[in-house]
Amino acid sequence: MRTKIVAGNWKMNNDQNETNALIKALKSQDSFGNTRVIIAPSYVHLAQAVALTNDCEIEVSAQNMHEAKSGAFTGEISPSMLSSIGIRTVILGHSERRAYFGENDDTLSKKVANALDHDMEVIFCFGEELEDRKSANHFEVVKAQISNVLFQLNAADWSRIILAYEPVWAIGTGETASPEQAQEMHAFIRNLIQDQYDTALADEVSILYGGSVKPGNAQEIFSKQDVDGGLIGGAALNAADFTTIIKSI
Ligand code: PEP
């Protein structure tokens, strides 16, 4: 049985007080059952988030990290810095990192390798642009994004990979992929993994959907066979909305 996961990417939102308040509000909810709940506050609030969640089931992830282990990279954060404060998970390849910070397959391959070297788990994001979908190129784009970065990994590494399909046209736009579009792409991804590795591995990998998931549409999207949860942006900033989304699984 695949692990169900709901992860909240807080992006560049919430100051220290807001971070504390949101975590406290999430902690006041009932148990989340078997669903893994992950939050990704900004770098500067990670240590306090770890401290605030060490007595509950909520996990804390970083939103990014640098591809090098250490060195002269002013302003950057390394995986050993993250693991030294108790961070075991990192989001890599988010479309905003690709679009605004020039991250490409080469950078992401190095980041994934460096994260795995530090025993970290990776939430690997990918997804097509609107033009790709309009020109019916979306499957090829997604195939390249996954195979160029992840198919050099050995099978054992995949126990620390979570996939997040996030069509760029659906992120922060209010436009959501239909449950059928999400299922179609997730099944395509699982087949790719099966062809490259094997059925057992493909069946084990959690594939999250991200892109304007809200309390009103989560249940329908999560009900699809190959959708194992969500990566949530805007709606993760509101405790009630995020909780409703988690409980939609
Ligand atoms: C995201 O940025 O990963 C995301 C899914 O954002 P939103 O839910 O706001 O579309």
Side-chain angles (χ1 to χ4, degrees), residues 84-99:
S84 71
I85 58 162
I87 299 295
R88 312 296 325 149
T89 306
V90 61
I91 299 172
L92 294 176
H94 191 278
S95 63
E96 288 150 16
R97 300 292 319 169
R98 294 176 190 257

Side-chain angles (χ1 to χ4, degrees), residues 63-140:
Q63 299 175 17
N64 181 36
M65 51 158 250
H66 196 261
E67 61 266 34
K69 291 190 175 10
S70 63
F73 300 102
T74 302
E76 290 294 332
I77 306 286
S78 73
S80 60
M81 292 172 183
L82 294 173
S83 38
S84 71
I85 58 162
I87 299 295
R88 312 296 325 149
T89 306
V90 61
I91 299 172
L92 294 176
H94 191 278
S95 63
E96 288 150 16
R97 300 292 319 169
R98 294 176 190 257
Y100 308 143
F101 302 95
E103 294 194 4
N104 55 28
D105 292 345
D106 183 45
T107 331
L108 290 170
S109 299
K110 291 179 184 147
K111 287 191 179 204
V112 169
N114 199 12
L116 295 179
D117 275 356
H118 287 81
D119 281 334
M120 293 181 75
E121 175 184 55
V122 173
I123 301 177
F124 183 74
C125 305
F126 53 89
E128 81 280 2
E129 309 258 351
L130 186 57
E131 308 83 75
D132 301 319
R133 188 159 274 268
K134 281 187 174 160
S135 58
N137 209 23
H138 46 299
F139 291 116
E140 281 311 305

Side-chain angles (χ1 to χ4, degrees), residues 9 11 94-96 125 166 170-174 210-214 231-235:
N9 175 10
K11 309 191 184 186
H94 191 278
S95 63
E96 288 150 16
C125 305
E166 299 207 300
I171 295 183
T173 59
S212 297
V213 176
K214 307 279 180 232
L231 179 55
I232 319 298

